[in-house]
Amino acid sequence: MSIKQWKDRVEQWGRFELALSGPSGGNPYRDVRLIATFQYKNRRLEPEGFYDGDGTYKIRFMPDEPGVWRFVTRSSCSELDGIAGEFLCVAPSAGNHGPVRVKNRYYFEYEDGTRYMPFGTTCYHWTHLGNEELEEHTLASLANSPFNKVRMCLLPTRDMKPPQIAFAGTCPEDIDKTRFNPSFFAHLERRIEDLQRLGIEADLILFHPYDKGHWGFDNMEPEEDCFYLRYVIARLAAYRNVWWSLSNEYDFNKFKTVADWDRLIQFVQQCDPYQHLRSIHNGTKMYKSSTLYDYTKSWITHQSIQHWDAALTTNWREAAAKPIVIDEISYEGNSSRRWGNISGLEMVHRFWEGFSRGGFVAHGESFIDRETRAWISFGGLMYGESAERIAFLRRIMEEAPEDWIQAGEDGTYKLIYLGNYQPAYRYVELAEDAAFRAELIDIWNMTITPLEPVFQGKSKVRLPGKPYMALRLQKV
Amino acid sequence: MSIKQWKDRVEQWGRFELALSGPSGGNPYRDVRLIATFQYKNRRLEPEGFYDGDGTYKIRFMPDEPGVWRFVTRSSCSELDGIAGEFLCVAPSAGNHGPVRVKNRYYFEYEDGTRYMPFGTTCYHWTHLGNEELEEHTLASLANSPFNKVRMCLLPTRDMKPPQIAFAGTCPEDIDKTRFNPSFFAHLERRIEDLQRLGIEADLILFHPYDKGHWGFDNMEPEEDCFYLRYVIARLAAYRNVWWSLSNEYDFNKFKTVADWDRLIQFVQQCDPYQHLRSIHNGTKMYKSSTLYDYTKSWITHQSIQHWDAALTTNWREAAAKPIVIDEISYEGNSSRRWGNISGLEMVHRFWEGFSRGGFVAHGESFIDRETRAWISFGGLMYGESAERIAFLRRIMEEAPEDWIQAGEDGTYKLIYLGNYQPAYRYVELAEDAAFRAELIDIWNMTITPLEPVFQGKSKVRLPGKPYMALRLQKV
């Protein structure tokens, strides 16, 4: 057993990486097992290592406590076995709050206790075209947006001809599902780090049903699925901004049953040392809300819903006491498909409907006749009218109590979204022991207008009788 | 048996009325039975007579065939028994198309075969305040509107102090449920005739749940219910523009079960010689569409639905092969109640959503701070922005094929409503053997813009990417 000292200083929730040389013959992806135990005081975590090509093996680790961590490897290959060392974990730098966790049943926070509210968007294949300029555009667009989560796929669709994919090979004829493509992952990892720098969570979609016999990735053997998941987790779990979305529109995949998905999600739960957020996203015709995955299952951390009707958020909160993230609520745009052509106003309206009921809604854009292709597919530029209004909503929500629904029930804060309705007044039940100022919020014109007088207890608040307004009441 | 000749000429679907003198002592409403047989060739109908006060008994009859009709009375009172006579039924005058019937499962027509599409509105108690000037305003408002059906109640609510009601007495303390108020009915009948002159159907709501122990009309004995229904039918069934709505929001009445309603609707079916349209209207929280009455029951002629979501029309057509009339879809206005404060645009949007899916949607207005009180309660003036756009829709629908849904499936006509969606193009499947012109309809600005070129077969139609548009394709 060789002992080495690593002098690296790694920040809390940063990434320690150990690179080792080992055999390159045979199929190291399949033949070599490598795992390490990392220990700080009584805390032990055991991430798997992975083969990174060219005789290089790596183990990545995300320490979650400051202090000296010790590690030691175990491997089926003697060259890689028993490598030990230590490193110093230091305080996180500014902007590093750790991974996102569920808080108080319906909400989220970073591991350092900083509040996190997902304002998501979707760019399924933004890293897959091999177009660096477009990817830079995507990152610049995100940097100028209110979005702090991106849904993105690891696997290509039937229609794509990507220069590289997760597995060895580039076309269906030469795919080798027993080997991976480290270059694909290195590129993906760079982009995940770019997102991390922007404060954006990468909601990684591990499977999707848009393959239909082309690549065959939607219909692999159970061992192949797990082989793929283990490699992905070994490489990516140490990135603190990763979430696991087992599948997009899982119910459109005819080769897998709900029991299969249960097994695969549990497998991810078992492999991931850090317990990143885990969910699965439905696709069934959006009316049939009864076909949503049973989100009460213990291995699911949050409800990743597709539905057009954010008003159902109230029902979903009752159905499962987990955060509600409506990851697809239709996209702003002019696609010919019903899911991809709502107006900016309708998108903003749905955001307010969901947030005001205690859920989180995600954005997407699908304009089909502009300079860059649809944002939801390949990123690039955004053309819609909703994003800046979602930024406005985000500011409003950041000023809200952490549990704004409970505060609303307690009468200590109210955010009442009126939607298509235009009442001339509204009765609100406010706490008796405090004075409240009321503001009228125009969700489209982004104005906040104070209303007179100060309110207390049960109050009648006069309203302008216009649609798309919200009413906010906060303690003076 | 005395035989009299009546020289009256009565038009087809007009009203023949026979007035007879009889006893006024005791309680003639309860004690005297009077019925007549009207016969033309082999057709026989047997309307009941009714006591009209002051020793006068009447029998009303609506002949539905031109020619000489003979009649003879039967009565428990010898003075009224065996009165016989005849009258000549002549062709209907202009504008008289007879009562409305169901046609081709999902649609309506007048009995003379003229097309009828309900464009309804609601003025529940417009005849109840004893305010003639307001009633004239209501009629003038209706005359200038697109509306050809009005929902209206026979019974007062808890909160009203009407000068007269259907029963004898004017306040809960002196109500006599064994006697009626002929003056109340004479006034109501005059207003039903006013509506008839305007070509408007009177959708009469026979019971409602807004009594709550005040008048007691929502909680009468079964015999009292039937006593009331028999009198109403004897007086009103001969008005060709009458529909029977057994109850508004029947499920809010805690004293009656669905079985009670079944029995009462069947009683109306049995008493009404002319088989006017019959339905019942739900009130349950609009999300719970499963609580709608089972409209497949044979005694129901059409589905009188309350729901906010006209997109469900497609489901309701599958659930029961009867016309869908969404009699309450929320009201335009600024009421503080959620059912009464949608915007004009939202109302017009819901109309288009329902009509384009093969249903009929009804209007209502509930502005609470204007010169006249809420239109839905007491009529008067309309203040909203939807009515003129509904008139625009009515013109579009009058140009559509009678079964526009089937025509859409056959590809011989298309009315595609895009709602909140704003696609850049749409594929439409048109018949191969004809050329079609396409028009873009702006439902709010009421414009119809021709689109180039002429289309045939499966076609890609470019659209402007704006919400609240409809696309119409008609044969050149």
Side-chain angles (χ1 to χ4, degrees):
Chain A
M1 184 190 274
S2 63
I3 304 285
K4 301 190 183 175
Q5 296 292 326
W6 266 259
K7 301 293 177 194
D8 297 358
R9 295 161 74 94
V10 176
E11 65 183 81
Q12 191 176 4
W13 306 301
R15 201 169 55 263
F16 173 79
E17 185 171 291
L18 176 66
L20 302 170
S21 292
S24 58
N27 181 350
Y29 298 101
R30 189 186 55 200
D31 304 338
V32 178
R33 295 300 298 267
L34 172 64
I35 197 165
T37 302
F38 285 79
Q39 184 159 0
Y40 168 71
K41 293 186 177 166
N42 290 326
R43 181 153 175 74
R44 291 160 64 108
L45 295 166
E46 299 208 318
E48 270 203 282
F50 60 91
Y51 183 60
D52 199 31
D54 298 325
T56 302
Y57 294 78
K58 286 181 176 165
I59 295 177
R60 289 175 177 162
F61 177 65
M62 179 183 80
D64 58 2
E65 297 272 3
V68 176
W69 286 79
R70 301 226 166 92
F71 62 86
V72 60
T73 66
R74 300 195 303 284
S75 178
S76 57
C77 167
S78 59
E79 288 174 76
L80 305 171
D81 188 59
I83 311 293
E86 60 184 41
F87 70 88
L88 178 63
C89 175
V90 298
S93 57
N96 171 3
H97 303 290
V100 173
R101 308 297 187 191
V102 171
K103 180 183 188 190
N104 190 10
R105 288 186 296 176
Y106 296 112
Y107 305 94
F108 296 98
E109 64 178 359
Y110 292 103
E111 195 164 308
D112 75 352
T114 302
R115 186 177 188 182
Y116 174 81
M117 284 182 283
F119 281 79
T121 189
T122 292
C123 304
Y124 287 125
H125 300 286
W126 75 281
T127 63
H128 289 178
L129 293 183
N131 181 336
E132 289 285 321
E133 188 189 344
L134 185 69
E135 293 176 14
E136 293 299 331
H137 277 316
T138 306
L139 290 165
S141 296
L142 288 168
N144 289 315
S145 83
F147 305 120
N148 60 11
K149 177 168 88 69
V150 178
R151 282 178 70 74
M152 49 194 283
C153 293
L154 266 67
L155 297 171
T157 69
R158 176 187 186 86
D159 301 320
M160 291 169 59
K161 290 191 171 47
Q164 55 182 359
I165 62 169
F167 290 93
T170 55
C171 61
E173 293 69 34
D174 69 0
I175 290 291
D176 180 353
K177 289 178 194 151
T178 69
R179 293 171 185 267
F180 297 97
N181 181 345
S183 165
F184 169 88
F185 279 95
H187 174 76
L188 176 67
E189 288 152 9
R190 182 156 64 86
R191 293 315 186 188
I192 291 172
E193 279 199 281
D194 288 334
L195 294 176
Q196 191 179 96
R197 261 191 298 278
L198 296 174
I200 297 173
E201 302 294 300
D203 194 357
L204 299 178
I205 300 169
L206 302 173
F207 292 97
H208 64 67
Y210 320 120
D211 186 314
K212 298 189 178 166
H214 186 77
W215 303 97
F217 299 145
D218 57 345
N219 188 21
M220 298 195 292
E221 295 299 320
E223 313 79 57
E224 291 175 319
D225 287 336
C226 290
F227 184 66
Y228 160 72
L229 290 174
R230 275 180 46 217
Y231 192 78
V232 166
I233 292 166
R235 291 199 73 115
L236 303 181
Y239 292 81
R240 64 177 173 268
N241 60 326
V242 156
W243 300 23
W244 308 123
S245 181
L246 258 288
S247 181
N248 214 45
E249 302 193 317
Y250 73 89
D251 43 334
F252 291 169
N253 184 329
K254 299 302 171 206
F255 303 111
K256 285 190 161 58
T257 64
V258 167
D260 289 327
W261 292 117
D262 285 346
R263 179 176 46 76
L264 291 172
I265 302 172
Q266 289 176 283
F267 184 75
V268 171
Q269 181 183 32
Q270 173 196 319
C271 294
D272 172 14
Y274 317 108
Q275 298 299 301
H276 289 285
L277 293 170
R278 274 181 310 273
S279 194
I280 188 165
H281 185 68
N282 68 294
T284 305
K285 283 186 176 178
M286 290 195 283
Y287 263 117
K288 301 190 177 169
S289 58
S290 61
T291 61
L292 296 179
Y293 193 87
D294 177 0
Y295 291 118
T296 64
K297 287 173 175 172
S298 65
W299 44 88
I300 293 288
T301 56
H302 64 286
Q303 311 185 47
S304 172
I305 289 170
Q306 177 172 181
H307 204 289
W308 61 273
D309 187 0
L312 293 173
T313 297
T314 306
N315 304 30
W316 297 321
R317 281 172 69 101
E318 284 170 19
K322 297 187 183 177
I324 287 133
V325 186
I326 308 175
D327 274 312
E328 185 172 340
I329 197 158
S330 306
Y331 304 126
E332 182 180 3
N334 62 2
S335 160
S336 67
R337 308 293 295 275
R338 198 166 167 84
W339 46 254
N341 57 32
I342 63 171
S343 66
L345 175 59
E346 182 66 22
M347 174 63 89
V348 176
H349 164 65
R350 294 181 186 187
F351 261 76
W352 276 85
E353 192 77 64
F355 274 86
S356 65
R357 292 170 184 272
F360 303 95
V361 183
H363 160 273
E365 257 194 27
S366 181
F367 287 96
I368 59 172
D369 52 1
R370 306 297 160 92
E371 188 184 354
T372 56
R373 292 160 72 186
W375 170 260
I376 55 157
S377 299
F378 302 109
L381 305 177
M382 281 187 268
Y383 302 97
E385 298 178 293
S386 67
E388 66 174 299
R389 276 90 183 181
I390 295 167
F392 175 71
L393 169 63
R394 184 171 166 179
R395 289 199 299 278
I396 301 277
M397 294 312 305
E398 284 170 352
E399 292 166 10
E402 286 194 8
D403 186 345
W404 63 94
I405 300 301
Q406 187 61 52
E409 285 169 15
D410 297 344
T412 58
Y413 170 92
K414 296 266 183 192
L415 185 66
I416 298 165
Y417 176 54
L418 299 164
N420 290 321
Y421 300 93
Q422 47 178 22
Y425 62 86
R426 175 93 174 209
Y427 283 106
V428 288
E429 306 262 358
L430 298 167
E432 294 285 353
D433 60 354
F436 290 81
R437 62 190 159 86
E439 291 159 313
L440 186 72
I441 298 171
D442 182 325
I443 72 159
W444 186 252
N445 296 306
M446 298 181 280
T447 57
I448 301 177
T449 311
L451 299 177
E452 296 301 331
V454 163
F455 297 94
Q456 196 154 0
K458 183 169 179 176
S459 304
K460 181 176 181 176
V461 183
R462 298 205 173 273
L463 296 167
K466 283 164 50 182
Y468 303 116
M469 296 283 147
L471 178 62
R472 177 167 69 168
L473 292 122
Q474 298 179 99
K475 280 187 189 175
V476 173
Chain B
M1 185 190 270
S2 66
I3 303 286
K4 298 186 184 176
Q5 295 292 326
W6 267 260
K7 298 297 174 191
D8 298 358
R9 295 162 74 94
V10 176
E11 63 183 82
Q12 191 178 3
W13 306 303
R15 201 168 57 262
F16 173 79
E17 185 172 292
L18 176 65
L20 303 170
S21 290
S24 59
N27 182 349
Y29 298 102
R30 188 187 55 199
D31 304 338
V32 177
R33 295 300 297 266
L34 172 64
I35 197 163
T37 303
F38 285 79
Q39 183 160 2
Y40 168 70
K41 294 184 178 165
N42 290 325
R43 182 153 174 74
R44 292 161 63 107
L45 295 167
E46 300 208 318
E48 269 204 282
F50 59 91
Y51 183 62
D52 199 31
D54 298 325
T56 301
Y57 293 78
K58 287 182 176 164
I59 294 177
R60 287 174 178 163
F61 176 65
M62 180 184 80
D64 58 3
E65 296 274 5
V68 176
W69 286 79
R70 302 225 165 96
F71 62 84
V72 60
T73 66
R74 297 193 306 284
S75 178
S76 57
C77 167
S78 59
E79 289 172 76
L80 305 171
D81 187 59
I83 312 292
E86 61 183 45
F87 70 89
L88 177 64
C89 176
V90 298
S93 58
N96 170 3
H97 302 290
V100 173
R101 308 297 186 190
V102 171
K103 181 183 187 188
N104 190 10
R105 288 186 296 175
Y106 296 112
Y107 305 93
F108 296 99
E109 64 179 357
Y110 293 102
E111 195 164 308
D112 75 351
T114 303
R115 185 176 189 182
Y116 174 80
M117 284 183 284
F119 282 79
T121 188
T122 292
C123 303
Y124 287 126
H125 301 286
W126 75 280
T127 64
H128 289 178
L129 292 183
N131 182 335
E132 289 285 319
E133 189 189 343
L134 185 68
E135 293 175 15
E136 294 299 328
H137 277 317
T138 306
L139 289 166
S141 296
L142 287 169
N144 289 314
S145 83
F147 305 120
N148 60 10
K149 177 167 88 69
V150 178
R151 282 177 70 74
M152 48 195 282
C153 293
L154 265 66
L155 297 171
T157 68
R158 177 190 186 86
D159 300 322
M160 291 169 59
K161 290 190 173 50
Q164 55 183 0
I165 61 168
F167 291 93
T170 54
C171 61
E173 294 69 32
D174 68 1
I175 290 291
D176 180 352
K177 289 178 194 151
T178 70
R179 293 170 187 265
F180 297 97
N181 182 346
S183 164
F184 169 87
F185 279 96
H187 174 76
L188 176 66
E189 287 151 11
R190 182 157 63 86
R191 292 315 188 190
I192 291 172
E193 278 198 279
D194 289 335
L195 294 175
Q196 191 179 95
R197 261 191 299 278
L198 296 174
I200 297 173
E201 302 294 300
D203 194 356
L204 300 178
I205 299 168
L206 302 173
F207 292 98
H208 65 65
Y210 320 119
D211 186 315
K212 300 192 178 165
H214 185 75
W215 303 96
F217 300 144
D218 57 345
N219 186 21
M220 298 195 292
E221 295 299 319
E223 311 79 55
E224 291 176 318
D225 288 334
C226 290
F227 184 66
Y228 160 71
L229 290 174
R230 275 181 46 217
Y231 192 78
V232 166
I233 292 166
R235 292 200 71 118
L236 304 181
Y239 292 81
R240 64 175 174 269
N241 60 325
V242 157
W243 300 22
W244 309 123
S245 180
L246 258 288
S247 182
N248 214 44
E249 303 192 319
Y250 73 89
D251 44 333
F252 291 167
N253 183 330
K254 300 301 173 209
F255 304 110
K256 285 189 163 59
T257 63
V258 167
D260 289 327
W261 292 117
D262 285 345
R263 179 175 45 77
L264 292 171
I265 302 172
Q266 289 176 282
F267 183 75
V268 170
Q269 179 182 34
Q270 173 195 320
C271 294
D272 173 11
Y274 317 108
Q275 298 299 301
H276 290 284
L277 293 169
R278 276 182 310 274
S279 194
I280 188 167
H281 184 69
N282 68 295
T284 306
K285 282 187 177 179
M286 290 195 284
Y287 263 119
K288 301 191 177 168
S289 59
S290 60
T291 62
L292 295 181
Y293 193 85
D294 176 0
Y295 291 117
T296 64
K297 287 173 178 172
S298 66
W299 45 87
I300 293 288
T301 56
H302 63 286
Q303 310 186 48
S304 171
I305 289 170
Q306 178 173 180
H307 205 288
W308 62 272
D309 186 0
L312 293 172
T313 297
T314 306
N315 305 31
W316 297 321
R317 281 172 68 102
E318 284 170 21
K322 298 189 184 177
I324 287 133
V325 186
I326 308 175
D327 275 313
E328 185 173 338
I329 198 157
S330 307
Y331 305 126
E332 181 179 3
N334 62 3
S335 160
S336 68
R337 308 293 294 276
R338 196 166 167 86
W339 47 255
N341 57 32
I342 64 171
S343 65
L345 174 60
E346 182 66 20
M347 175 63 87
V348 177
H349 163 64
R350 293 180 187 188
F351 262 76
W352 277 85
E353 191 77 63
F355 274 85
S356 66
R357 291 169 183 271
F360 303 95
V361 183
H363 160 273
E365 258 195 24
S366 182
F367 287 95
I368 59 171
D369 51 1
R370 307 295 160 93
E371 189 185 353
T372 56
R373 291 161 73 186
W375 170 259
I376 54 158
S377 299
F378 302 110
L381 305 176
M382 283 186 267
Y383 304 96
E385 298 178 292
S386 66
E388 65 174 303
R389 275 91 182 179
I390 294 166
F392 175 70
L393 169 62
R394 184 172 165 179
R395 290 198 299 278
I396 302 277
M397 293 312 304
E398 283 170 351
E399 293 166 7
E402 286 194 8
D403 186 345
W404 62 93
I405 300 302
Q406 186 62 52
E409 285 169 14
D410 296 343
T412 57
Y413 169 92
K414 297 267 184 193
L415 186 66
I416 298 165
Y417 176 54
L418 299 164
N420 290 321
Y421 300 92
Q422 48 178 21
Y425 63 86
R426 175 92 174 208
Y427 283 107
V428 287
E429 305 264 358
L430 297 166
E432 294 285 354
D433 60 354
F436 289 81
R437 61 192 160 85
E439 291 159 313
L440 187 71
I441 298 170
D442 181 323
I443 72 158
W444 186 251
N445 295 307
M446 298 181 281
T447 56
I448 302 177
T449 310
L451 299 177
E452 297 300 332
V454 164
F455 296 95
Q456 197 155 0
K458 183 168 179 177
S459 304
K460 181 175 181 175
V461 182
R462 296 204 175 273
L463 297 167
K466 285 163 51 182
Y468 303 117
M469 295 285 149
L471 177 63
R472 178 168 68 169
L473 292 121
Q474 298 179 97
K475 280 188 188 171
V476 173

